[in-house]
């Protein structure tokens, strides 16, 4: 019986084909958008984590409270042993110390007089210690525009637009002018090894990336670090895990009242990232919901139109001795078959596209010119595990729901009514 | 119930709600149908022929009175029980054929047997036999759209007869057929009536159909006006 009906479904093009096309489209779109959103949010989180927040970040309590001011006088002392302890305690993450610092960069001419000067935002990263992944996660090799990567502690990279504005070439000297950890006035000569373009306008325009050792010398911060950041090994942000880790860490901090006691924050705690994390989680639900609603309505109407066409068939089947319930259930059964078929095709169509966007990406350089948002200029999608089944939710559920709604007519009508419609057909 | 009776109707009334009140489509109908009868309901349009056939087929419920079909009193029966009665005991033939367009002739005829849960082997032989009856063995694989009106109605007859029901209900079966096909189709039903003792109940306006009936029940305004036994139907040879 079921086979008989399924045979009918696939022979009746007008019934199955249009439904399957609609479902295929919706499912493909769902999967595409899912992959796309996952990719974009990954990108946002990744960039924010790399540049600012880490997946988690340890600072002193006082530093956390005034972090906008980059208060290195409140830095963590004994940071190297703390990194070792963290790595031991939380091996699911890798930990790295860093110093964010601000000041002026002064470019001297041949006589040593100031040629150009500009405000600078510095990142002191652990570029060189064995096993450090900073070059990798900052993608410095790929983003290098001129020169080479730093090799010695005093060598630095400048943002491409920054270097351009200051008229600095790789090989030039750039003098840092600022305050030491203890508040004293310091100058330090950095050597520009190369320039990089992160693709983020607001950062590139005054960025300096230096090796942590050089920055420690410049700021007189031996064995100190403003922050210690932790990243998951695969670099994907796990919100729940990170928040739980931070909570766990903070519970075990001795005398948390002390302003120099340590505090851990997750990416979510960093300025607006919390809202972003929430959006990333709700967005796919919202998209699914909207697609479900659209699909239900479309298929409902389609079912109604089909139903009108099929009342003759239903009437005949009832006359042959089929029960209303059986007619209704087999109609739902057909919907499930059509839904599964459409979902399969839709998913199969979308996955290669998502895969392409994952591997190759979509370059939209220039499209969002001047956007202060932390986004790279190549959008990549990601095939999340749920890409494989997510499309079946609107594909099958909505098809069945739409059929359920349109099929109510079978129950609502008096049998003789359905039956009489036979006579009107002809 | 008399062993010989396939349908017993007592003081049947059928009212349809219309607006605030109701319309009485059948009133005080009392009659019996005997096994093997070839009965026709005739009467003007709106006289209640279809309504009466639908009630006998369990597709519509009486408002008053009792109706017993194939030993089953229909009063108080639920959808399932009525569906069972139709599935096992009654065949339907419609004015508009109502074949399933996406299925072949064979599959259309097979459908009632699938509903009955008959196994594949038995189904095949029953379908083939029914198609032989209506002389459509050469069209087994055709779709309804490829058939003429007369052929469609012959498929419908095969579909009604394939499960060998005791009663076949046919509402205006010739209304969409020309004279030649009407005679052809009626001839087939007469044969089935003779050879299998299948009882037939028609509703018809068609003089040609009337020429085959052994009993004519005249309905006027929902009432039996005349109940006539025809000893020598015009087109029916023998008997
Ligand atoms: N569902 C309904 N609601 C209200 N009135 C109805 C309904 N069904 C039938 N009727 C009325 O009952 C009467 C009998 O209808 P029925 O269909 O039985 O007539 P009929 O004899 O078969 O006519 P025809 O020869 O035109 O087919 C008609 O007046 C019709 O309008
Ligand atoms: Mg009628």
């Amino acid at each position: 019986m079921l086979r008989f009906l399924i045979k009918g479904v696939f022979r009746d093009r007008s019934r199955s084909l249009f439904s399957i096309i609609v479902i295929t489209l919706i499912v493909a779109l769902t999967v595409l958008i899912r992959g796309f959103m996952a990719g974009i949010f990954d990108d946002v989180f990744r960039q924010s984590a790399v540049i600012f927040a880490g997946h988690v970040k340890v600072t002193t309590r006082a530093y956390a409270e005034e972090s906008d001011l980059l208060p290195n006088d409140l830095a963590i002392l004994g940071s190297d042993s703390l990194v070792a302890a963290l790595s031991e305690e939380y091996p699911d993450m890798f930990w790295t110390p860093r110093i964010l610092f601000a000041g002026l960069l002064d470019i001297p001419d041949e006589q040593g007089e100031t040629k150009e000067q500009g405000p600078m935002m510095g990142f002191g990263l652990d570029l060189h210690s064995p096993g450090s992944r900073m070059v990798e996660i900052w993608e410095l090799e790929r983003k290098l525009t001129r020169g080479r990567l730093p090799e010695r502690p005093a060598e630095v990279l400048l943002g491409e637009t920054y270097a351009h504005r200051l008229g600095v070439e790789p090989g030039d000297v750039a003098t840092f002018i600022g305050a030491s950890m203890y508040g004293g006035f310091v100058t330090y000569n950095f050597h520009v090894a190369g320039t990089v373009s992160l693709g983020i306008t607001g950062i590139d325009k005054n960025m300096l990336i230096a090796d942590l050792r050089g920055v420690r010398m410049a700021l007189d911060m031996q064995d100190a670090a403003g922050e210690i950041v932790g990243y998951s090994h695969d670099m994907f942000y796990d919100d729940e895990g990170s928040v739980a880790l931070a909570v766990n860490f903070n519970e075990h901090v001795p005398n948390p009242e002390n302003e120099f006691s340590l505090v851990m924050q997750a990416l979510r705690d960093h300025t607006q990232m919390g809202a972003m994390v929430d959006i990333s989680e709700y967005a796919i639900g919202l998209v699914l919901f909207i697609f479900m609603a659209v699909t239900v309505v479309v298929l409902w109407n389609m079912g109604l139109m089909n139903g009108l066409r099929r009342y003759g068939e239903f009437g005949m089947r009832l006359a042959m001795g089929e029960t209303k319930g059986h007619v209704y259930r087999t109609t739902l059964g057909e919907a499930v078959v059509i839904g599964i078929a459409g979902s399969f095709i839709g998913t199969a169509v979308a996955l290669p596209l998502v895969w392409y966007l994952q591997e190759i990406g979509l370059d939209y350089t220039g499209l969002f010119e001047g956007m202060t948002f932390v986004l790279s200029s190549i959008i990549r999608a990601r095939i999340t595990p749920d890409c494989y089944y997510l499309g079946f939710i609107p594909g099958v559920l909505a098809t069945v729901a739409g059929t359920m709604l349109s099929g109510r007519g079978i129950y609502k009508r008096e049998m003789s009514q359905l039956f009489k419609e036979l006579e009107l057909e002809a | 119930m008399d062993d010989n009776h396939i349908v017993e109707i007592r003081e049947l009334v059928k009212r349809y709600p219309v607006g605030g009140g109701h319309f009485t489509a059948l009133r005080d109908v009392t009659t019996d149908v005997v096994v093997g009868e070839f009965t026709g309901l005739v009467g003007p349009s709106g006289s209640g022929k279809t309504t009466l056939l639908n009630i006998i087929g369990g597709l519509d419920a009486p408002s008053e009175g009792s109706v017993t079909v194939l030993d089953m009193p229909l009063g108080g029966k639920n959808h399932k029980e009525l569906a069972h009665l139709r599935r096992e005991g009654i065949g339907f033939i419609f004015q508009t054929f109502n074949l399933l367009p996406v299925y072949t002739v064979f599959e259309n005829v097979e459908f009632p047997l699938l509903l009955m849960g008959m196994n594949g082997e038995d189904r095949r032989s029953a379908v083939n036999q029914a198609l032989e009856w209506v002389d459509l063995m050469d069209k087994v694989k055709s779709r309804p759209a490829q058939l003429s009106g007369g052929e469609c109605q012959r498929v419908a007859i095969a579909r009604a007869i394939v499960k060998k029901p005791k009663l076949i209900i046919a509402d205006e079966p010739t209304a969409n057929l020309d004279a030649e096909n009407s005679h052809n189709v009626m001839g087939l039903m007469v044969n089935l009536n003779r050879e299998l003792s299948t009882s037939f109940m028609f509703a018809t306006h068609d003089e040609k159909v009337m020429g085959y009936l052994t009993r004519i029940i005249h309905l006027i305004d929902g009432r039996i006006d005349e109940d006539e036994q025809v000893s020598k139907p015009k087109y029916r040879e023998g008997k």
Side-chain angles (χ1 to χ4, degrees), chain A residues 1 3-9 11-13 15 312-313 315-324 326 414-416 419-420 422-426, chain B residues 16 50-51 54 58-60 79-80 83-84 86-87 90 92 94-96 98 100 102-104 107-108 110-112 114-115 143 159 163 171 176:
Chain A
M1 185 77 201
R3 234 185 29 204
F4 185 83
L5 290 167
I6 290 172
K7 208 156 44 174
V9 171
R11 281 190 203 162
D12 189 352
R13 295 268 154 66
R15 187 157 98 219
E313 175 194 334
M316 184 281 287
R317 284 166 61 178
L318 294 174
M320 295 288 134
E322 214 173 327
T323 59
K324 278 187 176 185
H326 193 262
E414 278 300 308
M415 176 132 35
S416 60
F419 193 61
K420 273 197 183 112
L422 295 183
E423 293 165 37
L424 301 176
E425 275 205 346
Chain B
Y16 287 113
T50 298
T51 304
N54 282 351
L59 294 164
D60 215 343
H79 280 306
K80 271 193 177 162
H84 184 263
R86 286 196 296 276
R87 194 160 62 235
I90 305 176
F92 283 85
F94 312 93
Q95 175 180 335
T96 54
N98 278 295
L100 297 172
V102 295
Y103 295 101
T104 62
E107 288 162 342
N108 266 283
E110 187 185 20
F111 182 71
L114 282 165
L115 284 180
R143 299 275 178 90
R159 180 176 65 185
K163 61 189 178 190
D171 195 348
N176 285 325

Side-chain angles (χ1 to χ4, degrees), chain B:
Chain B
M1 182 164 174
D2 191 315
D3 275 357
N4 228 4
H5 289 178
I6 199 155
V7 177
E8 283 183 3
I9 301 171
R10 295 290 174 270
E11 284 156 30
L12 168 66
V13 176
K14 177 63 187 179
R15 288 187 213 95
Y16 287 113
V18 174
H22 56 255
F23 174 84
T24 307
L26 291 173
R27 60 191 85 207
D28 200 24
V29 173
T30 296
T31 191
D32 298 322
V33 178
V34 176
V35 172
E37 271 185 331
F38 206 71
T39 313
L41 305 174
V42 304
S45 183
S47 57
K49 303 182 294 292
T50 298
T51 304
L52 184 52
L53 286 187
N54 282 351
I55 289 175
I56 293 170
L59 294 164
D60 215 343
S63 307
E64 279 174 32
S66 72
V67 177
T68 305
V69 179
L70 299 171
D71 293 324
M72 181 178 176
L74 303 190
K77 291 289 188 287
N78 62 29
H79 280 306
K80 271 193 177 162
E81 292 165 302
L82 295 172
H84 184 263
L85 170 73
R86 286 196 296 276
R87 194 160 62 235
E88 305 290 330
I90 305 176
F92 283 85
I93 295 170
F94 312 93
Q95 175 180 335
T96 54
F97 323 139
N98 278 295
L99 302 178
L100 297 172
V102 295
Y103 295 101
T104 62
V105 165
F106 186 95
E107 288 162 342
N108 266 283
V109 177
E110 187 185 20
F111 182 71
L113 303 180
L114 282 165
L115 284 180
M116 293 169 79
M118 188 184 279
N119 73 47
E121 192 78 13
D122 294 349
R123 277 205 313 268
R124 228 180 341 272
S125 67
V127 172
N128 285 328
Q129 193 191 17
L131 287 172
E132 263 168 48
W133 269 106
V134 299
D135 195 23
L136 278 176
M137 280 310 285
D138 52 336
K139 304 276 185 191
V140 243
K141 292 224 165 70
S142 304
R143 299 275 178 90
Q146 302 162 325
L147 303 180
S148 72
E151 286 168 334
C152 282
Q153 197 60 306
R154 273 148 65 197
V155 176
I157 292 171
R159 180 176 65 185
I161 201 71
V162 70
K163 61 189 178 190
K164 305 232 171 76
K166 295 224 166 59
L167 174 64
I168 288 182
I169 290 176
D171 195 348
E172 318 259 11
T174 58
N176 285 325
L177 299 178
D178 61 19
E180 188 190 334
N181 275 308
S182 298
H183 283 296
N184 184 340
V185 154
M186 288 311 293
L188 274 173
M189 291 197 263
V190 168
N191 286 342
L192 293 166
N193 171 242
R194 282 201 181 122
E195 294 183 29
L196 301 174
S197 297
T198 309
S199 309
F200 280 79
M201 286 199 80
F202 296 91
T204 188
H205 295 283
D206 188 344
E207 293 287 344
K208 297 185 290 298
V209 174
M210 292 179 212
Y212 290 91
L213 300 174
T214 60
R215 180 183 175 194
I216 299 179
I217 298 174
H218 296 265
L219 285 179
I220 291 177
D221 286 341
R223 224 187 281 277
I224 296 183
D225 184 61
E226 196 192 338
D227 189 342
E228 167 193 9
Q229 294 290 335
V230 185
S231 51
K232 273 209 158 302
K234 187 169 162 194
Y235 299 120
R236 205 172 160 129
E237 296 119 38
K239 189 171 177 183

Side-chain angles (χ1 to χ4, degrees), chain A residues 139-421:
Chain A
E139 298 179 277
L140 292 179
E141 276 167 4
R142 196 165 66 77
K143 289 174 175 167
L144 193 71
T145 46
R146 287 185 285 157
R148 54 169 175 79
L149 295 183
E151 281 158 10
R152 285 174 292 118
E155 286 184 338
V156 298
L157 295 168
L158 293 184
E160 174 60 43
T161 46
Y162 190 34
H164 192 74
R165 191 153 52 82
L166 295 177
V168 180
E169 301 282 335
D172 289 354
V173 169
T175 308
F176 165 72
I177 304 171
S180 76
M181 179 165 72
Y182 304 104
F185 175 83
V186 293
T187 62
Y188 189 84
N189 282 344
F190 285 120
H191 297 269
V192 179
T195 59
V196 288
S197 176
L198 297 187
I200 304 160
T201 322
I203 306 252
D204 282 336
K205 71 167 194 261
N206 57 8
M207 174 186 69
L208 175 145
I209 295 175
D211 182 44
L212 186 68
R213 288 172 299 171
V215 177
R216 280 178 167 169
M217 280 187 274
L219 302 182
D220 203 3
M221 288 180 72
Q222 288 322 312
D223 198 19
E227 17 188 83
I228 294 170
V229 285
Y231 299 99
S232 67
H233 294 287
D234 62 8
M235 284 306 287
F236 286 121
Y237 177 59
D238 164 20
D239 186 48
E240 257 175 56
S242 301
V243 170
L245 181 66
V247 168
N248 175 282
F249 179 88
N250 293 334
E251 274 171 3
H252 293 94
V253 166
N255 28 326
E257 307 311 318
N258 187 322
E259 66 168 346
F260 282 100
S261 66
L262 300 174
V263 65
M264 187 185 285
Q265 289 172 298
L267 174 69
R268 144 185 303 282
D269 302 318
H270 190 86
T271 56
Q272 276 142 40
M273 292 317 291
M276 194 62 105
V277 172
D278 292 336
I279 290 171
S280 78
E281 282 169 5
Y282 296 137
I284 186 61
L286 188 70
V287 168
L288 269 184
F289 179 79
I290 292 170
F291 279 26
M292 286 277 291
V294 169
T295 320
V296 169
V297 171
V298 170
L299 294 180
W300 180 2
N301 277 294
M302 226 157 65
L304 283 180
M305 288 187 312
N306 266 328
L308 289 181
R309 212 165 54 84
R310 292 184 76 191
Y311 277 145
E313 175 194 334
F314 295 153
M316 184 281 287
R317 284 166 61 178
L318 294 174
M320 295 288 134
E322 214 173 327
T323 59
K324 278 187 176 185
H326 193 262
V327 171
Y328 189 64
R329 284 195 305 276
T330 52
T331 315
L332 292 187
E334 291 172 11
V336 170
V337 171
I338 290 179
I340 290 176
S343 302
F344 250 114
I345 302 173
T347 305
V349 167
L351 280 178
L353 283 171
V354 179
W355 183 83
Y356 176 86
L357 288 172
Q358 172 176 293
E359 300 300 314
I360 313 293
L362 196 68
D363 192 341
Y364 69 103
T365 316
L367 195 61
F368 294 114
E369 200 77 66
M371 201 165 76
T372 53
F373 216 60
V374 185
L375 252 186
S376 62
S377 55
I378 292 183
I379 296 184
R380 282 171 191 280
R382 175 159 62 103
I383 299 186
T384 53
D386 55 12
C387 280
Y388 291 96
Y389 63 82
L390 214 60
F392 285 75
I393 296 174
V396 178
L397 280 192
T399 312
V400 170
T403 311
M404 267 174 147
L405 286 169
S406 58
R408 279 180 319 172
I410 298 173
Y411 274 110
K412 273 203 304 205
R413 276 154 202 265
E414 278 300 308
M415 176 132 35
S416 60
Q417 198 55 40
L418 275 172
F419 193 61
K420 273 197 183 112
E421 275 157 29

